[in-house]
Amino acid sequence: MKNLTYDNENARCVPYDSPPNEWLSVEEKLPVEAKKVLCFLALGGGPMVETGYYMGDEGWYYTGIEAPHHGAVTHWMPLPEPPGRNEKKRGGDAG
């Protein structure tokens, strides 16, 4: 399944392939509205990573911060798959 992002110029959602652990600039692409993503925030007290949602004209909302910080998100990335979904057996035989 491909990830989707919002294409501002053409006003539509488009698929994209993002290599694992690659941050996407909010100036280049925005996530699908209301989809939980990792957000990199550039705050006065230092950088922070939170899970959050992009809500279009309302800005960004974060799981760990009560009030929205408009303009604080500089980059985002899709959440990784939960543990166990694509887990490969590691190491030698367990038994």
Side-chain angles (χ1 to χ4, degrees):
M1 177 195 225
K2 290 190 179 241
N3 292 312
L4 294 175
T5 190
Y6 191 75
D7 177 356
N8 290 325
E9 291 181 26
N10 297 309
R12 63 187 174 104
C13 289
V14 294
Y16 70 91
D17 291 316
S18 175
N21 299 320
E22 184 174 313
W23 290 98
L24 302 166
S25 170
V26 296
E27 293 180 7
E28 294 177 19
K29 292 186 180 192
L30 291 169
V32 173
E33 288 185 26
K35 180 177 174 84
K36 188 186 282 188
V37 296
L38 285 177
C39 304
F40 183 88
L41 291 81
L43 300 174
M48 183 182 345
V49 175
E50 291 285 345
T51 55
Y53 305 85
Y54 176 68
M55 299 301 290
D57 292 339
E58 295 178 37
W60 292 85
Y61 289 86
Y62 317 105
T63 306
I65 302 174
E66 291 182 21
H69 289 270
H70 297 285
V73 175
T74 62
H75 293 77
W76 66 277
M77 74 167 66
L79 292 175
E81 289 293 323
R85 282 214 175 150
N86 291 320
E87 229 171 69
K88 295 178 181 174
K89 189 173 181 178
R90 298 180 189 187
D93 291 330

